[in-house]
């Protein structure tokens, strides 16, 4: 399987562009297993992990033996036990077996301790390998570097062979075509599809600049509107306060006049 995948990747790499084919593509490979076997830190950590694995295996086997012994004991004593006691012991055995299996899964399952600690063990070495691979690729002008011990294999590729944008562009085109309505929209789509990747990138950048400027203008307009509304609100508040003060003053004067008249009337009477 690894050879088939490697061959497919090689054929793809060699056929990316005719220009690249003319200059020749330079390929290298590593053997990750060999590298790991010769890194002392990894070997020491592997030994420590293996010791823990042996302890986990011993514990798992001990639990399963205990379950089996309980089953054997129950079979031997069945004739002497009441149905209620048999059912109770069977329930206890089932619980113990479930616990043993959960322990086994927690240690050696797909998301268990062994897999997780193995990944943690390999990750620092992988980071060092990837950093070294990138440096070597630049020094030796390599276009692709594969790991012959991995299923997929490729751990380095020159960016010029990355066709992710082309794939994404094709997916978007297909989705957009399904939503087109009318000749004008179809014509616009066909015009956009005639653009090269670089031209489309420039077009996208121009559209982004236009959109950013539009957003800036809208933000400026909104800011001005808020300032205008704030000024209007302040003036309205000032007007209301001044009006209230005038009305209060008028009311005070009116009350004063009424009080004065009332005093005169009282004096006359």
């Amino acid at each position: 399987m690894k050879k088939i995948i490697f061959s497919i990747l090689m054929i793809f790499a060699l056929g990316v562009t005719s220009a690249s084919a003319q200059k020749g593509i330079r390929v290298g490979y590593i053997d990750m297993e060999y590298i790991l076997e010769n890194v002392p830190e990894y070997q020491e950590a592997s030994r420590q992990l293996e010791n823990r694995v042996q302890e986990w295996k011993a514990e798992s086997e001990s639990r399963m033996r205990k379950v089996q012994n309980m089953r054997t004991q129950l079979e031997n004593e069945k004739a002497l036990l009441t149905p209620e006691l048999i059912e109770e012991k069977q329930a206890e055995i089932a619980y113990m077996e479930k616990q043993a299996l959960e322990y086994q899964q927690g240690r050696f399952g797909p998301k268990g301790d062994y897999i997780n600690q193995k990944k943690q063990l390999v990750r620092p070495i992988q980071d060092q390998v990837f950093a070294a691979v990138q440096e070597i690729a630049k020094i030796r002008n390599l276009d692709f570097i594969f790991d012959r011990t991995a299923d997929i294999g490729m751990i380095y590729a020159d960016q010029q062979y990355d066709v992710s944008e082309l794939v994404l562009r094709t997916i978007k085109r297909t989705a957009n075509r399904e939503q087109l309505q009318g000749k004008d929209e179809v014509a616009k789509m066909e015009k956009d599809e005639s653009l090269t990747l670089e031209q489309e990138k420039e077009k996208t950048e121009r559209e982004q600049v236009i959109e950013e400027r539009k957003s800036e203008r809208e933000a400026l307009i909104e800011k001005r509107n808020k300032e205008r509304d704030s000024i209007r609100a302040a003036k309205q508040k000032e007007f209301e306060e001044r009006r209230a003060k005038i009305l209060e003053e008028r009311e005070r004067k009116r009350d004063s006049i009424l009080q004065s008249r009332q005093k005169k009337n009282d004096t006359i009477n």
Side-chain angles (χ1 to χ4, degrees), residues 69-128:
N69 290 339
M70 291 173 69
R71 278 205 183 97
T72 302
Q73 184 177 357
L74 177 59
E75 287 298 321
N76 294 335
E77 298 175 352
K78 231 174 190 179
L80 305 175
L81 301 175
T82 64
E84 290 78 9
L85 283 174
I86 293 173
E87 186 176 346
E88 183 179 330
K89 287 184 175 294
Q90 286 175 338
E92 183 182 0
I93 292 170
Y95 174 78
M96 295 296 292
E97 184 176 27
K98 180 184 176 184
Q99 292 291 101
L101 292 174
E102 286 179 355
Y103 177 85
Q104 191 178 66
Q105 188 73 5
R107 294 301 191 186
F108 301 104
K111 296 182 180 180
D113 294 333
Y114 175 72
I115 297 297
N116 291 332
Q117 293 191 26
K118 188 76 173 177
K119 288 179 180 177
Q120 293 175 6
L121 181 63
V122 174
R123 190 174 294 117
I125 309 301
Q126 285 179 330
D127 292 341
Q128 295 178 39

Side-chain angles (χ1 to χ4, degrees), residues 26-143:
R26 296 173 61 85
V27 179
Y29 76 88
I30 65 168
D31 187 329
M32 182 65 82
E33 292 180 0
Y34 171 78
I35 293 172
L36 293 176
E37 288 171 359
N38 287 276
V39 175
E41 294 85 353
Y42 176 80
Q43 291 303 311
E44 176 58 30
S46 292
R47 280 191 289 272
Q48 294 177 7
L49 177 58
E50 184 59 29
N51 290 336
R52 286 196 291 271
V53 168
Q54 294 305 320
E55 292 175 1
W56 296 340
K57 284 182 178 179
E59 176 65 18
S60 179
E61 290 171 358
S62 173
R63 293 187 180 209
M64 293 305 295
R65 278 198 304 272
K66 185 174 181 180
V67 171
Q68 187 57 44
N69 290 339
M70 291 173 69
R71 278 205 183 97
T72 302
Q73 184 177 357
L74 177 59
E75 287 298 321
N76 294 335
E77 298 175 352
K78 231 174 190 179
L80 305 175
L81 301 175
T82 64
E84 290 78 9
L85 283 174
I86 293 173
E87 186 176 346
E88 183 179 330
K89 287 184 175 294
Q90 286 175 338
E92 183 182 0
I93 292 170
Y95 174 78
M96 295 296 292
E97 184 176 27
K98 180 184 176 184
Q99 292 291 101
L101 292 174
E102 286 179 355
Y103 177 85
Q104 191 178 66
Q105 188 73 5
R107 294 301 191 186
F108 301 104
K111 296 182 180 180
D113 294 333
Y114 175 72
I115 297 297
N116 291 332
Q117 293 191 26
K118 188 76 173 177
K119 288 179 180 177
Q120 293 175 6
L121 181 63
V122 174
R123 190 174 294 117
I125 309 301
Q126 285 179 330
D127 292 341
Q128 295 178 39
V129 170
F130 293 152
V133 162
Q134 291 181 352
E135 182 178 348
I136 292 167
K138 291 176 181 178
I139 293 172
R140 297 199 175 187
N141 295 318
L142 298 175
D143 297 306

Side-chain angles (χ1 to χ4, degrees), residues 177-217:
R177 278 186 175 276
E178 294 175 354
Q179 300 173 6
L180 292 181
Q181 296 178 353
K183 294 181 179 179
D184 293 340
E185 292 184 356
V186 173
K188 184 178 182 300
M189 172 62 71
E190 290 176 349
K191 181 180 178 181
D192 290 341
E193 288 181 349
S194 66
L195 299 176
T196 64
L197 191 60
E198 290 73 17
Q199 289 172 333
E200 185 173 353
K201 184 178 179 182
E202 291 175 2
K203 178 175 176 290
T204 302
E205 289 175 351
R206 285 197 303 270
E207 290 174 348
Q208 287 177 346
V209 170
I210 292 171
E211 188 63 29
E212 287 173 0
R213 289 176 180 173
K214 180 181 177 182
S215 299
E216 289 174 359
R217 284 197 301 270

Side-chain angles (χ1 to χ4, degrees), residues 208-243:
Q208 287 177 346
V209 170
I210 292 171
E211 188 63 29
E212 287 173 0
R213 289 176 180 173
K214 180 181 177 182
S215 299
E216 289 174 359
R217 284 197 301 270
E218 291 175 350
L220 181 60
I221 291 171
E222 185 179 359
K223 181 181 178 182
R224 287 176 178 173
N225 289 338
K226 286 182 178 179
E227 291 176 351
R228 182 192 62 199
D229 294 341
S230 178
I231 292 171
R232 283 181 178 176
K235 287 183 177 180
Q236 182 66 26
K237 183 180 179 182
E238 183 182 355
F239 169 76
E240 295 291 341
E241 290 176 350
R242 189 166 62 251
R243 181 171 177 274

